[in-house]
Amino acid sequence: PEFQVELIHTVSKADEGSWVCLTPDDQGRLLASDQYGGLYRLTPPQIGSKKTAKVEKLTADISGAHGLLYAFDSLYVMINEKPSAPGLYRLRDTKGTGQFDEKTFLREIKGQGEHGNHSLTLSPDGQSIYIACGNNTEQPPLEHTRGSRPIADDQVLPRMAKGAVSSDTEPQAFTCKVSPDGKQLEMICSGNRNHFDLAFNALGDLFTYDSDMEWDVGTPWYRPTRIYHLVSGGDYGFRESSGKLHAYCPDVVPPLVNVGPGSPTGACSGLGAKFPAKYQHAIFACDWTYGSLYAVHLTPEGAGYTAELEEFISAKPLPLTDVTIGKDGAMYFSIGGRRTQSAVYRVTYIGKESTTPAATPIETAEHKLRVELERLHDAGTGPEAIEKAWPYLGHTDRLVRWAARVAIERQPVQLWAERALKQTEAWAALESAVALARIGGKERQNALLGMLGGLDFTKLTEPQQLALIRVYQITLARSGVPTGEGLAQSIAQLDAVYPAKSNALNTELSRTLVALGSSSVVAKTMQLLPTARDEEVTWISTERLTRNSRYGPKFMLTGDSRPNVQQLAYAYALRMAKVGWTPELRHAFFTWFTSTKNWQGGNQFSGFLHQIRIDALDTVTDKNEREILAQLSKAAPAVTPPAPIVPPHGPGKNYSVEDVLAFAKDGMSQRDFKRGRELFIATACQACHRLGSEGGGIGPDLTGAANRYTLRDLLENIVEPSKVISDQYESTIIETKDGKVITGRITSEDDDHLYVATNPADLNDITTVKVPELKSRQASPISLMPPGLINSMNPDEVRDLIAYILSGGDKRGKMFKK
């Protein structure tokens, strides 16, 4: 209410491409980038004017920008897409012609594709630039890092696969600060997945909207998209595959708010907007997949914030790519990406509330303290940081404790290790223990374990209990399993409290006791396994489902298809247990796998289940027993036969996009839902694409197709599937030294092998390629989706199929109303 949205410019797909980023220049014009092309300048008409926008193609020799920032009388450009070399560029107009005639390559930052280098944001003091880099970005050489080193994966049990790009010892998606000349690059924080943009609020704090890993849906380690407060030296817990850390871990910074499935893109602060004060203080975040622009309303609390999520703008389709506040006080946002129809819109406030610049929020005492402690992360800070930070290790505020611990970890461990071991107050002892587990080394492990043994687990709060277990995990991951008295004491302390009162505690206790080699953990966990119940079963919150009908009737699996996440958590731990098994327990555990045959989840869900089973079989030393258990766990449960496939009636033709547009544009009412679903199954769409609560995860989720695709864009994807292939779904052509050619999707890789899914309908059909035998690998220009899938249908059938897709599989959709 009381906001107005107006279309400023419809981007020509043929001539101007599809725009993915915006930045205002010093004259209030907007500079924009085509995802796979060049740069443009858009001069919007004055607010209230009936004139049209002026659009100019810039002649700068540069393309494939994911980030733009006009600052320091220059245009800074972050290149991510080929053919330009990836990294940070500076463009200048040295002749006053209105064109950028000077191009300087400031810094190489090796990112690639949609998860590489992204947006650029000016710092609050106007002296430097902040960069968001996704998890397909290599860590560049740094002049300084604000977090402690070394970085480690910190997995108490081996995760099931390495990532395809980053190594275990480098951060995942990270945020850096760079000087205007590109010569000083400082790591601010890391451990995101693929945050595309950054925004500062009035107090100078940094925020982002981070992506989920949709292939993990249905697993214990799935984390939805979320809004983060990015703090100095922060680690946000993303690890590849099954190694992601939960928000309760003391060595990660938790999210402000979980959003749900989506594709985060642009973000900006409301500062400078001629909006009511509430919106001037908001952080705005774009979701490409579901066509939603969120206002994140922040309330200072302690050293950080609480956050409330408001859906500010939404439409179908609205594939949001970027958002910014113009010099005229209006909000501008772009839509497009992956060559979809692009446009630029302007948002203005037309209500009666005051739009004068809002007062800066009152800074809390804890906020001031955190900022003061974060100065101890600066380059050149010496041992004095220990004395300044130490009193705050036991502070009640989590972010204050974080800032203090990072400051201490940055100093030589011999200066503070003895002091850490003497802590007795719960949080001070636990934070000191986290620091020692991370930095102290093997030589201090026994002393650390003795310190942990001196803490009374039963007198700790649940967050403190989880922190204590996490300290055990970190020291086991970094210093190995202890021996002698240290091992016995550790098992005794944790065995005594397992099982515990919550799923989170039981998840972490089971993993840690398996790693320690407890002889009782198997029997205890097998008692929990068959009756375990999830504390949270929806993939997005009930509240979001209620207010947002675009997610269909239910955005979760139901009945036999819904995985039991807590049971999976126990199975994940048991897969590595080597002691404590009896024939009866083995039989019960491997029989459990038969109950999972109908479970569905994200793209890698079935592969994860398969790997849990294989890892568990590898722990069985007797060959005959292993063969029996392998057959037992493969036994399929009784299932309801699938509905018969009802093929198209036809007659069809070799349709072009224009053919379908001609009969579909005005014929999408009173469609047949049942027939649309039958055709979605008959053409094998369901084998590869999830739609609502059904389907596979090989291709993009189509539940939100109507939110990001125009009818033309959708038809181009169906009729010409190889025209645009996201690097998230491309296949790879692999040639071996002996002349074999293998085409498929690389599901994972390690130092020795590539694991390639060669059957697009079955990600469990894996071909293993040994790295020493590899000759070459390159992205395939051909989509896994074959062309002509609709050519056997008559026009009415094509309409029914399109209606089914655009409805998100919801029979209540308006296209099915009679």
Side-chain angles (χ1 to χ4, degrees):
E2 300 186 319
F3 283 89
Q4 174 179 277
V5 183
E6 57 183 315
L7 176 64
I8 296 296
H9 176 61
T10 299
V11 178
S12 167
K13 291 179 72 172
D15 300 325
E16 299 167 348
S18 190
W19 294 2
V20 294
C21 51
L22 302 172
T23 187
D25 70 7
D26 57 343
Q27 299 181 44
R29 302 168 298 188
L30 294 175
L31 303 174
S33 171
D34 171 19
Q35 182 176 357
Y36 306 108
L39 304 178
Y40 298 84
R41 180 164 51 222
L42 183 150
T43 305
Q46 290 187 352
I47 296 173
S49 169
K50 300 294 185 180
K51 295 182 179 180
T52 59
K54 177 184 177 183
V55 180
E56 307 165 79
K57 175 73 162 59
L58 299 179
T59 59
D61 179 24
I62 206 159
S63 65
H66 276 205
L68 298 175
L69 174 67
Y70 192 90
F72 311 106
D73 296 321
S74 307
L75 176 62
Y76 289 84
V77 184
M78 182 61 80
I79 295 298
N80 199 33
E81 304 282 357
K82 298 175 181 179
S84 300
L88 181 63
Y89 292 76
R90 183 180 61 202
L91 305 181
R92 284 178 170 167
D93 175 7
T94 65
K95 300 177 182 178
T97 62
Q99 294 288 344
F100 296 105
D101 54 85
E102 178 188 274
K103 180 175 76 171
T104 305
F105 188 28
L106 297 180
R107 193 92 184 201
E108 182 181 45
I109 302 178
K110 295 180 179 179
Q112 55 179 303
E114 294 178 2
H115 286 233
N117 311 320
H118 296 315
S119 295
L120 306 167
T121 304
L122 188 65
S123 63
D125 62 8
Q127 300 300 307
S128 56
I129 299 168
Y130 281 69
I131 304 170
C133 296
N135 62 307
N136 279 4
T137 310
E138 294 182 23
Q139 179 186 312
L142 299 166
E143 279 66 51
H144 179 61
T145 180
R146 302 190 67 81
S148 58
R149 290 292 190 268
I151 286 176
D153 208 27
D154 290 333
Q155 301 296 306
V156 70
L157 295 177
R159 55 187 168 98
M160 291 191 290
K162 288 187 177 182
V165 178
S166 299
S167 75
D168 294 345
T169 55
E170 292 180 353
Q172 293 296 319
F174 55 87
T175 300
C176 282
K177 182 173 74 171
V178 65
S179 59
D181 60 6
K183 293 181 178 179
Q184 296 295 316
L185 189 65
E186 179 182 35
M187 177 77 75
I188 301 298
C189 57
S190 61
N192 292 109
R193 198 241 170 172
N194 184 40
H195 60 318
F196 196 91
D197 209 347
L198 306 165
F200 287 96
N201 72 347
L203 289 176
D205 287 316
L206 186 61
F207 301 88
T208 194
Y209 180 24
D210 195 20
S211 67
D212 61 349
M213 179 31 160
E214 64 277 11
W215 293 1
D216 291 345
V217 164
T219 69
W221 47 89
Y222 173 70
R223 311 187 319 169
T225 68
R226 61 265 304 271
I227 304 295
Y228 275 122
H229 173 193
L230 300 179
V231 299
S232 176
D235 182 344
Y236 293 85
F238 181 84
R239 306 291 188 266
E240 294 289 354
S241 186
S242 59
K244 299 168 186 64
L245 302 178
H246 290 285
Y248 51 68
C249 293
D251 51 326
V252 302
V253 181
L256 286 175
V257 60
N258 287 328
V259 179
S263 296
T265 49
C268 78
S269 167
L271 294 174
K274 292 181 179 178
F275 290 177
K278 174 182 179 180
Y279 294 97
Q280 294 182 44
H281 289 312
I283 299 298
F284 293 92
C286 297
D287 175 7
W288 184 81
T289 295
Y290 292 106
S292 294
L293 176 57
Y294 295 103
V296 185
H297 300 291
L298 304 169
T299 301
E301 184 174 287
Y305 300 85
T306 58
E308 178 185 351
L309 198 68
E310 176 192 0
E311 193 171 43
F312 184 63
I313 293 173
S314 64
K316 289 186 177 184
L318 197 73
L320 289 147
T321 55
D322 204 3
V323 59
T324 189
I325 305 299
K327 290 189 176 295
D328 57 6
M331 170 188 283
Y332 293 87
F333 65 85
S334 56
I335 63 172
R338 292 186 187 170
R339 304 192 195 280
T340 58
Q341 179 59 57
S342 192
V344 177
Y345 293 83
R346 177 164 61 194
V347 184
T348 50
Y349 179 68
I350 56 175
K352 297 180 179 179
E353 287 189 53
S354 172
T355 60
T356 57
T360 301
I362 297 174
E363 187 178 18
T364 66
E366 294 88 351
H367 186 280
K368 292 178 181 178
L369 175 58
R370 173 178 62 79
V371 172
E372 182 180 341
L373 290 170
E374 287 177 347
R375 294 192 183 102
L376 303 177
H377 306 168
D378 292 344
T381 304
E384 69 276 6
I386 300 173
E387 288 301 322
K388 293 179 181 179
W390 203 273
Y392 304 106
L393 283 176
H395 199 279
T396 56
D397 191 287
R398 182 170 180 172
L399 292 184
V400 170
R401 296 198 302 271
W402 181 278
R405 178 172 54 78
V406 170
I408 291 166
E409 286 184 6
R410 293 179 52 79
Q411 302 305 316
V413 66
Q414 62 269 22
L415 300 180
W416 52 266
E418 185 176 347
R419 187 173 182 178
L421 292 168
K422 295 178 180 179
Q423 301 302 297
T424 56
E425 189 278 327
W427 272 125
L430 290 166
E431 292 288 355
S432 298
V434 170
L436 271 179
R438 287 165 51 84
I439 308 297
K442 178 70 174 177
E443 64 273 21
R444 296 180 179 86
Q445 187 183 50
N446 285 337
L448 171 62
L449 295 175
M451 174 190 178
L452 296 178
L455 296 174
D456 187 341
F457 190 93
T458 62
K459 293 183 179 180
L460 301 177
T461 64
E462 183 165 330
Q464 291 169 342
Q465 291 171 341
L466 287 165
L468 184 147
I469 300 167
R470 180 62 184 152
V471 174
Y472 275 108
Q473 294 177 351
I474 298 170
T475 190
L476 294 178
R478 296 206 177 198
S479 299
V481 178
T483 57
E485 184 179 345
L487 176 61
Q489 173 261 307
S490 300
I491 293 175
Q493 183 184 27
L494 299 184
D495 250 339
V497 295
Y498 181 59
K501 60 186 178 182
S502 72
N503 280 353
L505 285 168
N506 285 333
T507 294
E508 304 307 332
L509 282 167
S510 62
R511 292 185 182 191
T512 310
L513 285 166
V514 166
L516 287 167
S518 163
S519 60
S520 64
V521 64
V522 168
K524 290 180 177 181
T525 307
M526 284 303 301
Q527 285 184 324
L528 296 172
L529 179 67
T531 58
R533 294 293 179 264
D534 291 328
E535 293 168 355
E536 182 179 347
V537 297
T538 55
W539 293 349
I540 55 179
S541 71
T542 303
E543 184 273 334
R544 192 176 184 218
L545 285 168
T546 301
R547 70 175 171 78
N548 193 338
S549 61
R550 295 196 311 285
Y551 290 89
K554 286 187 178 180
F555 202 90
M556 57 178 285
L557 295 172
T558 57
D560 291 341
S561 63
R562 189 184 74 206
N564 186 308
V565 174
Q566 189 59 29
Q567 289 186 12
L568 279 170
Y570 292 141
Y572 183 79
L574 288 169
R575 84 190 210 280
M576 302 304 297
K578 295 181 172 64
V579 297
W581 291 103
T582 65
E584 293 77 17
L585 290 174
R586 290 274 196 203
H587 185 277
F589 179 57
F590 283 95
T591 300
W592 169 84
F593 284 95
T594 66
S595 69
T596 71
K597 296 297 184 180
N598 292 333
W599 288 2
Q600 296 181 26
N603 199 341
Q604 288 186 329
F605 182 82
S606 59
F608 284 135
L609 261 177
H610 173 74
Q611 192 61 53
I612 289 173
R613 176 176 168 274
I614 294 302
D615 287 348
L617 286 170
D618 286 344
T619 66
V620 182
T621 56
D622 183 88
K623 182 179 179 181
N624 291 333
E625 183 184 12
R626 184 166 61 248
E627 291 178 355
I628 293 170
L629 294 173
Q631 291 302 314
L632 175 67
S633 56
K634 286 175 64 176
V639 296
T640 303
I645 293 176
V646 182
H649 299 313
K653 61 171 287 186
N654 188 17
Y655 290 111
S656 69
V657 172
E658 299 301 328
D659 290 336
V660 183
L661 277 174
F663 63 72
K665 185 176 181 182
D666 299 317
M668 298 306 296
S669 61
Q670 301 186 59
R671 303 317 316 164
D672 186 333
F673 174 83
K674 180 175 178 291
R675 189 65 184 129
R677 183 175 183 273
E678 289 173 344
L679 292 163
F680 192 74
I681 296 170
T683 53
C685 298
Q686 191 181 47
C688 298
H689 298 279
R690 179 175 302 284
L691 197 143
S693 62
E694 299 180 308
I698 297 170
D701 190 324
L702 296 180
T703 307
N707 300 90
R708 61 182 183 268
Y709 294 135
T710 64
L711 181 58
R712 176 182 288 276
D713 290 331
L714 177 63
L715 292 174
E716 286 182 351
N717 278 274
I718 293 173
V719 176
E720 306 172 53
S722 295
K723 184 175 182 179
V724 181
I725 306 173
S726 165
D727 57 37
Q728 300 304 296
Y729 299 99
E730 67 187 10
S731 57
T732 301
I733 301 173
I734 297 168
E735 184 179 0
T736 61
K737 292 177 181 177
D738 61 0
K740 293 181 181 177
V741 177
I742 301 164
T743 301
R745 177 181 295 173
I746 298 175
T747 58
S748 63
E749 62 180 282
D750 54 36
D751 294 337
D752 303 313
H753 303 90
L754 301 180
Y755 301 96
V756 187
T758 55
N759 181 355
D762 182 7
L763 287 182
N764 289 322
D765 185 2
I766 298 294
T767 297
T768 302
V769 180
K770 295 181 179 179
V771 170
E773 298 174 0
L774 183 66
K775 180 179 180 181
S776 66
R777 57 191 280 189
Q778 60 181 336
S780 172
I782 306 300
S783 172
L784 290 171
M785 176 177 167
L789 288 177
I790 61 173
N791 289 350
S792 59
M793 302 179 195
N794 61 49
D796 266 334
E797 290 175 320
V798 175
R799 292 188 190 102
D800 290 338
L801 174 64
I802 293 170
Y804 181 72
I805 294 173
L806 292 178
S807 71
D810 185 357
K811 62 183 177 183
R812 302 173 301 175
K814 63 181 180 180
M815 288 177 281
F816 303 119
K817 291 181 179 179
K818 303 300 181 183

